[in-house]
Amino acid sequence: EEIIYNTKGTIYRMIMEMIRAKYSLGLPCNELEELYMQGITYVADVGYKELGYVNTLQFISLGILLEVSHDKMKILINMIDEEKVDDILLDYLVYSYGLKRDIHSSGYQREIPYREMIEIVEVAKNDKEKASVRLKDYTETDWLNGHSDYGWTTAYKEVGYYGLWSFEAGA
């Protein structure tokens, strides 16, 4: 059972690598959607603890960008609710997509850099141009620096580099 569980986690990671690579190539969304739909099953099977916050956030954000059906997204929402994931940004994304969570978050799983996303959205309500400038700065600097512990700042030097994407910024 442990081998099967670990293999499902590996398959999820491979699916996400393929999605990122195809996205980087600029391939049509329907090619990303097919992979994404396969990934939902693996994500639900391995769960939040195995995926971690950043992978979960990116996967849910990508589902929003691909306009995945609410039924499919609910599988992911149920997963984070079962784990009682307390995160304001996840709440915001879920609610803005027209879904609800069973819990109401009071904090962030990773405050830096993700708290800034909520601030950018709040600025956008009154000043879209200012928010656009802030979002550009966020994706080019703050997002990358906020993940320096992941080694993303030097990822472009690695063989097989396929880009870094802040799907949550897009969502």
Side-chain angles (χ1 to χ4, degrees):
E1 288 182 12
E2 185 178 335
I3 292 169
I4 292 169
Y5 177 81
N6 291 337
T7 302
K8 287 179 178 182
T10 299
I11 292 170
Y12 158 77
R13 285 185 287 284
M14 291 172 66
I15 287 171
M16 278 306 290
E17 285 184 15
M18 289 172 46
I19 288 172
R20 287 184 187 109
K22 288 184 175 203
Y23 186 82
S24 294
L25 280 172
L27 295 180
C29 285
N30 65 338
E31 290 193 34
L32 305 178
E33 290 171 20
E34 291 173 21
L35 283 168
Y36 187 88
M37 298 311 277
Q38 293 172 15
I40 287 177
T41 302
Y42 295 107
V43 166
D45 286 349
V46 299
Y48 176 80
K49 286 182 182 174
E50 173 68 19
L51 292 178
Y53 174 70
V54 173
N55 287 325
T56 301
L57 176 63
Q58 288 187 344
F59 197 72
I60 288 173
S61 298
L62 184 57
I64 292 169
L65 291 171
L66 293 172
E67 299 179 351
V68 171
S69 74
H70 282 201
D71 290 342
K72 295 294 183 182
M73 289 296 284
K74 193 67 181 151
I75 294 168
L76 304 173
I77 306 315
N78 290 340
M79 176 190 73
I80 62 173
D81 283 350
E82 286 173 13
E83 296 292 332
K84 297 182 178 18
V85 178
D86 182 15
D87 187 71
I88 293 170
L89 182 55
L90 278 174
D91 283 4
Y92 185 86
L93 290 168
V94 168
Y95 286 116
S96 68
Y97 200 58
L99 296 169
K100 294 187 180 188
R101 293 193 59 199
D102 290 339
I103 67 169
H104 181 72
S105 296
S106 60
Y108 295 90
Q109 291 291 302
R110 188 176 180 107
E111 190 167 352
I112 298 172
Y114 295 118
R115 179 179 46 121
E116 294 178 48
M117 289 299 308
I118 300 299
E119 293 170 6
I120 293 167
V121 170
E122 291 301 317
V123 169
K125 290 178 181 177
N126 298 317
D127 189 343
K128 299 232 185 282
E129 187 173 320
K130 184 177 180 182
S132 179
V133 169
R134 181 65 190 100
L135 183 61
K136 183 179 186 298
D137 183 53
Y138 169 81
T139 56
E140 291 177 353
T141 306
D142 301 332
W143 182 80
L144 193 58
N145 291 338
H147 295 92
S148 60
D149 56 326
Y150 280 68
W152 292 354
T153 54
T154 58
Y156 67 93
K157 297 177 183 179
E158 297 178 23
V159 174
Y161 173 72
Y162 45 76
L164 294 171
W165 300 104
S166 176
F167 295 119
E168 62 280 2

